[in-house]
Amino acid sequence: MPLNRRTFLESSVAVGAGAALATGVAAPAEAHGRRPKPAKRYSFTVMGTTDLHGNVFNWDYFTDKEFDDKAHNDIGLAKISTLVDQVREEKGRCNTLLIDAGDTIQGTQLSYYYAKVDPITARRGPVHPMAQAMNAIGYDAAALGNHEFNYGIPVLRKFEEQCDFPLLGANALDAKTLRPAFAPYSMHRLRTPHGRDVKVAVLGLTNPGIAIWDKANVQGKMVFPGLEEQAAKWVPKLRSMGADVVVVSAHSGSSGTSSYGDQLPHIENAAGLVAEQVPGIDAILVGHAHTEIPEYRVKNKETGKDVVLSEPLKWGQRLTTFDFDLVWEKGRWVVEKVAAQVLNSNTVAEDPQITGLLADEHKKVVAYVNQVIGTSTASMTTADAPWKDEPIIDLINVVQAETVKAALAGGAHAALPVLSQASCFSRTARIPAGEITIKDAAGLYPFENTMEARLLTGAQLKDYLEYSARYYVQTAAGAPVDTAKLTNAGGTPDYNYDAVSGLTYEIDIAKPAGSRIVNLSFEGKPLDPAAQFVLAVNNYRASGGGAFPHVANAPQLWANSDEIRNTIIQWVKAKGTVDPGLFASVDWKLTRDGVPVF
């Protein structure tokens, strides 16, 4: 350390004290009855949400009633606001910060309405409901999520403009300059009773998968390097700028895994790796994975210190609180202890300030989703769709196949047969007999996926189906079948099980995964491995979502920018009447040694 006036004086005092002790002139303070001054301490709390996905109210726009699930969770920022008020009342507002870890403006019909139906980007357009609510609650910063880019950069920039807090993304870089396209961090100063402020830095990191998942919106405009790389760049800078505490808000799960196989250039769920590999971080608010992690400690390899991670589930169901205890040592604040927990939003009522603020917007969206778009001759439901070929999934596939056929008509691939993939996104979706509304169609396809056409061979399709069939738990012939335990083998979610229409096949669940597809045929004949087919597929799957084989690298023949949900809505409007008898068929079934399971 270079010698300056301060270090010279400090060393001189130390030497003098040592000399005095050596000669017996001085005695410890305790000998004269004086106790050393107590250390200066300060505590504060950082609250965090993540994956709000457009939820303000405890309301399900797909069923048009109050939200409920098996665990009786509640959702929405109105509930979060009440929890935040309670924490601020307990800790003192000046001793708290409130941040978010991304995926804010997509996911409900409320957020969709203000992106597409009455867009915030319109001249004299409305203020986004999520911006209104988060401003009213008093957020201090929010990281970007991958779904922020679903509606295009102009919608995101307008949302950013409407927020009273910064949107952070240290690894969202301008494609040309490689400089941050958004604020990398925010710095917050907390007043202490000791006359020495605490500086808290919040570093925002988003998911590198954006480059693939929203390629149409970001290609040539932004690039998204890995979280560890950018954290290693920015954390030392924040410390050198005087940050006493560094909190990372990361739209990335903690597990170090990726659901996209080798499609992603960087790890999708990297929060744990950031904690382990980058020194100088005190806590990480985790997002993206939609899991509940009250507190998870990761030891940093370089410093040996624990980094505390927490993920507050999704949709405003939980609120994370990081409680920091600091001590004043050697002229600076030092983190002495960090603890995290999650608070459950179903323990409180909605904040009337928030529900009142957005009552008009809520009414508009409820009226919108209840618009009648056609009629159905029969009721259809997804209740059995995870294990049976149901007409309601056939509806998705017939719309997709017809749309792709029309798009390819007159082109080089017009003569090829068109197949289609679809998943059961919700086990509670239904199309009623009688009037069909927008909410019915939206409930069937709740994601903003768009459609593509990819070129695959018969052999590749066989691999694709084998991979999909791993969804089922291996069940021996003759053993009892419990549908509650039959699916989701290895943690595979419903949205990563595809039924493919246009082929006929059996899935033998008595066989191990990888050798289950039997009697695979096309137009009554065994499938030719060399034959070419067009697969109508959503952009999530086409970009590698679920790590299905072949499709991400298959030639793209066509792509559409409209959501599949809207394509279904327009198809129903055009038909007027939906008759399952005209399109429903049993193309696949579960068997064991050739005997149907159902």
Side-chain angles (χ1 to χ4, degrees):
M1 184 172 65
L3 191 64
N4 54 33
R5 184 174 182 272
R6 179 182 174 187
T7 55
F8 173 77
L9 289 173
E10 287 176 347
S11 61
S12 298
V13 169
V15 170
L21 285 171
T23 58
V25 174
E30 290 85 342
H32 297 283
R34 297 195 308 272
R35 294 181 179 179
K37 290 182 180 179
K40 297 175 182 177
R41 284 187 160 80
Y42 174 68
S43 298
F44 71 97
T45 297
V46 176
M47 297 173 282
T49 55
T50 191
D51 296 275
L52 293 168
H53 283 288
N55 286 287
V56 174
F57 298 84
N58 186 40
W59 194 259
D60 185 343
Y61 293 97
F62 298 135
T63 61
D64 200 21
K65 60 185 180 182
E66 185 174 311
F67 177 86
D68 194 24
D69 62 13
K70 291 179 181 178
H72 300 297
N73 286 303
D74 285 347
I75 60 175
L77 275 170
K79 291 265 185 174
I80 290 295
S81 182
T82 303
L83 289 174
V84 168
D85 283 346
Q86 289 181 353
V87 174
R88 286 172 174 163
E89 179 70 23
E90 178 188 352
K91 308 287 185 180
R93 177 156 188 159
C94 61
N95 302 318
T96 65
L97 295 172
L98 175 60
I99 64 176
D100 183 80
D103 274 7
T104 304
I105 61 172
Q106 175 278 338
T108 64
Q109 288 297 285
L110 179 70
S111 54
Y112 177 81
Y113 187 90
Y114 288 97
K116 290 298 188 82
V117 181
D118 185 11
I120 60 175
T121 49
R123 189 168 178 264
R124 297 179 181 175
V127 177
H128 199 288
M130 295 301 286
Q132 291 190 58
M134 294 174 83
N135 289 342
I137 295 169
Y139 273 77
D140 294 290
L144 294 165
N146 53 285
H147 284 289
E148 258 67 81
F149 294 84
N150 286 173
Y151 298 123
I153 292 174
V155 170
L156 176 54
R157 287 299 190 192
K158 188 64 179 181
F159 175 70
E160 179 186 31
E161 178 187 314
Q162 293 177 341
C163 291
D164 293 341
F165 51 90
L167 299 184
L168 309 178
N171 61 329
L173 310 182
D174 181 275
K176 294 179 180 177
T177 66
L178 297 183
R179 293 176 179 172
F182 294 84
Y185 67 89
S186 58
M187 193 73 78
H188 309 270
R189 190 179 290 271
L190 300 177
R191 289 278 178 95
T192 77
H194 306 293
R196 303 280 189 170
D197 294 349
V198 171
K199 291 178 71 174
V200 182
V202 179
L203 179 67
L205 297 169
T206 192
N207 206 292
I210 296 166
I212 294 174
W213 310 328
D214 270 302
K215 183 178 179 180
N217 292 327
V218 301
Q219 188 173 32
K221 300 173 184 176
M222 294 184 192
V223 294
F224 302 87
L227 284 83
E228 310 101 297
E229 169 194 330
Q230 292 301 302
K233 173 183 176 180
W234 283 100
V235 171
K237 289 185 179 181
L238 297 174
R239 290 293 185 181
S240 69
M241 292 164 61
D244 301 296
V245 180
V246 173
V247 178
V248 173
S249 183
H251 192 75
S252 181
S254 64
S255 63
T257 61
S258 174
S259 60
Y260 286 76
D262 60 2
Q263 297 303 311
L264 283 186
H266 304 282
I267 294 174
E268 178 183 358
N269 296 307
L273 294 176
V274 170
E276 181 182 80
Q277 297 176 11
V278 181
I281 298 170
D282 297 297
I284 301 180
L285 177 66
V286 178
H288 184 62
H290 290 202
T291 57
E292 181 176 345
I293 305 174
E295 183 185 87
Y296 173 48
R297 292 178 178 270
V298 175
K299 196 170 292 294
N300 183 266
K301 283 186 174 180
E302 184 173 323
T303 65
K305 293 181 178 179
D306 279 355
V307 182
V308 177
L309 283 68
S310 180
E311 183 174 6
L313 200 53
K314 63 183 188 299
W315 304 350
Q317 293 174 344
R318 304 288 187 272
L319 175 72
T320 280
T321 61
F322 293 102
D323 292 315
F324 292 86
D325 293 334
L326 276 60
V327 63
W328 183 260
E329 288 182 355
K330 299 178 182 178
R332 58 187 288 266
W333 287 109
V334 176
V335 175
E336 195 172 42
K337 180 183 175 184
V338 186
Q341 63 175 331
V342 293
L343 307 179
N344 195 328
S345 64
N346 70 10
T347 62
V348 297
E350 291 183 313
D351 183 345
Q353 179 193 359
I354 304 302
T355 55
L357 178 68
L358 293 166
D360 289 343
E361 286 83 349
H362 178 66
K363 289 177 183 176
K364 283 182 182 179
V365 176
V366 168
Y368 164 73
V369 299
N370 281 288
Q371 290 180 40
V372 175
I373 56 174
T375 59
S376 176
T377 62
S379 175
M380 296 179 280
T381 175
T382 56
D384 292 336
W387 48 83
K388 290 183 182 178
D389 188 349
E390 290 288 284
I392 196 167
I393 303 299
D394 293 337
L395 173 61
I396 299 173
N397 277 326
V398 72
V399 171
Q400 293 184 162
E402 287 188 7
T403 301
V404 168
K405 285 176 184 176
L408 298 180
H413 299 92
L416 291 178
V418 177
L419 314 177
S420 177
Q421 63 80 220
S423 303
C424 176
F425 294 121
S426 166
R427 298 192 183 194
T428 59
R430 64 184 294 269
I431 301 293
E435 292 183 339
I436 304 173
T437 63
I438 285 177
K439 75 171 184 284
D440 298 324
L444 177 59
Y445 214 111
F447 298 107
E448 267 74 48
N449 291 344
T450 57
M451 202 187 321
E452 298 188 17
R454 296 282 177 135
L455 184 65
L456 294 169
T457 66
Q460 290 175 326
L461 286 163
K462 170 74 158 47
D463 291 343
Y464 189 100
L465 290 171
E466 287 285 10
Y467 184 84
S468 184
R470 71 196 176 103
Y471 170 72
Y472 295 103
V473 174
Q474 187 172 359
T475 310
V481 176
D482 181 357
T483 55
K485 300 176 181 177
L486 178 63
T487 62
N488 308 105
T492 303
D494 291 348
Y495 61 76
N496 274 342
Y497 170 66
D498 286 358
V500 174
S501 70
L503 302 174
T504 57
Y505 56 97
E506 298 172 14
I507 302 173
D508 190 333
I509 60 172
K511 291 182 166 60
S515 58
R516 291 177 169 176
I517 303 300
V518 294
N519 297 326
L520 178 58
S521 61
F522 173 67
E523 294 184 341
K525 298 178 182 179
L527 185 68
D528 179 358
Q532 290 189 317
F533 297 86
V534 177
L535 181 66
V537 60
N538 67 51
N539 68 308
Y540 171 78
R541 190 69 78 235
S543 67
F548 276 62
H550 307 305
V551 65
N553 295 318
Q556 184 193 74
L557 306 182
W558 173 83
N560 189 13
S561 61
D562 199 19
E563 293 92 354
I564 294 171
R565 176 174 58 223
N566 277 348
T567 305
I568 295 171
I569 290 170
Q570 296 308 316
W571 188 90
V572 172
K573 282 183 176 180
K575 295 288 183 183
T577 299
V578 175
D579 182 359
L582 298 178
F583 59 79
S585 62
V586 179
D587 294 328
W588 63 273
K589 58 187 174 183
L590 301 186
T591 61
R592 290 183 293 184
D593 294 342
V595 179
V597 177
F598 300 104

